[in-house]
Amino acid sequence: MGMVLGVLGSGSGSNMQAILDAIEAGTLDARIALVLSDKPDAFILERAKRHGIETGVIDCRGFQTKFPEEAQAETAARLRDAGVELVCLAGFLRLVKSPLLDVFPQRILNIHPSLLPAFPGLESWKQALDAGASEAGCTVHFVDEGMDTGPIILQEAVPILPGDSAATLHARIQVLEHRLYPAAISQVSRGWKA
Ligand code: GAR
């Protein structure tokens, strides 16, 4: 049986959709058991519901950017109750630390829209454009205590083209993300089950 996944996201959920598509296409042996968001109206929840996947909202106690400890503990408990083995951050915009990280050590992945260690943090594609970089890219990595610092699983570059806007560059990176994330999950799960 494939890996049981839990997905955390704050936005549109196109990466969660790509994971689902890979599962449905038979290229990724896994199952998404639970999708959680810190934003009650995030489209990722809608997408998950359409596929009959259990969803939930993470109560961040009114904090705009912080992921408070109580909320992390609740999230860890919900993921565990759902039988989740591997947690995938997919456009989740809060920093995961203790206690959630302690419950899933080496078992939380993140997708980040840059060639890490370049441009950690938010809107990395804009950071790359503003810095005049010649290429951008995307990275799937294990989450550790730092911000976008954990061991890299897969990484690939895309060119920055003349005339690129933040939107066109992000769209090019997202095409890459949708291929890379399922591949990285598959790689990690093969390593565990081997
Ligand atoms: C993705 O581009 C992802 O790399 C980025 O948010 C987007 C979410 O899109 N994540 C970060 O910037 C994390 N720092 P999605 O909701 O359509 O998957």
Side-chain angles (χ1 to χ4, degrees):
M1 251 320 268
M3 177 91 15
V4 182
L5 308 176
V7 179
L8 308 190
S10 307
S12 123
S14 71
N15 277 289
M16 194 266 318
Q17 185 70 55
I19 295 166
L20 269 180
D21 291 346
I23 293 170
E24 280 169 15
T27 55
L28 173 61
D29 185 18
R31 172 171 78 82
I32 300 181
L34 178 64
V35 174
L36 298 175
S37 180
D38 55 329
K39 302 236 177 339
D41 56 353
F43 190 54
I44 191 171
L45 296 177
E46 186 57 39
R47 287 189 202 254
K49 283 178 198 155
R50 283 182 197 171
H51 287 263
I53 297 169
E54 185 187 337
T55 62
V57 174
I58 302 169
D59 175 7
C60 285
R61 274 77 177 167
F63 287 102
Q64 286 306 303
T65 55
K66 191 174 138 181
F67 194 1
E69 266 185 42
E70 310 90 303
Q72 294 202 41
E74 285 168 8
T75 301
R78 287 165 96 165
L79 290 165
R80 266 223 298 239
D81 289 350
V84 167
E85 298 169 294
L86 181 69
V87 181
C88 299
L89 307 185
F92 187 67
L93 298 182
R94 294 177 194 251
L95 269 189
V96 171
K97 293 193 177 226
S98 179
L100 180 50
L101 207 47
D102 307 330
V103 178
F104 291 94
Q106 295 293 310
R107 295 201 164 222
I108 306 182
L109 306 189
N110 181 42
I111 185 147
H112 184 79
S114 80
L115 294 171
L116 289 172
F119 310 123
L122 295 177
E123 299 195 314
S124 306
W125 59 93
K126 276 191 196 160
Q127 298 185 48
L129 263 186
D130 292 347
S134 60
E135 57 178 16
C138 116
T139 306
V140 182
H141 64 96
F142 287 104
V143 173
D144 67 7
E145 282 284 338
M147 184 175 69
D148 304 324
T149 51
I152 290 173
I153 301 159
L154 283 179
Q155 182 173 71
E156 216 174 295
V158 291
I160 296 181
L161 301 177
D164 256 340
S165 64
T168 58
L169 179 56
H170 190 210
R172 190 174 310 117
I173 293 170
Q174 285 224 291
V175 172
L176 182 60
E177 289 185 333
H178 298 161
R179 182 161 53 75
L180 227 59
Y181 212 174
I185 295 165
S186 180
Q187 188 173 310
V188 166
S189 91
R190 280 198 310 270
W192 281 345
K193 305 259 164 165

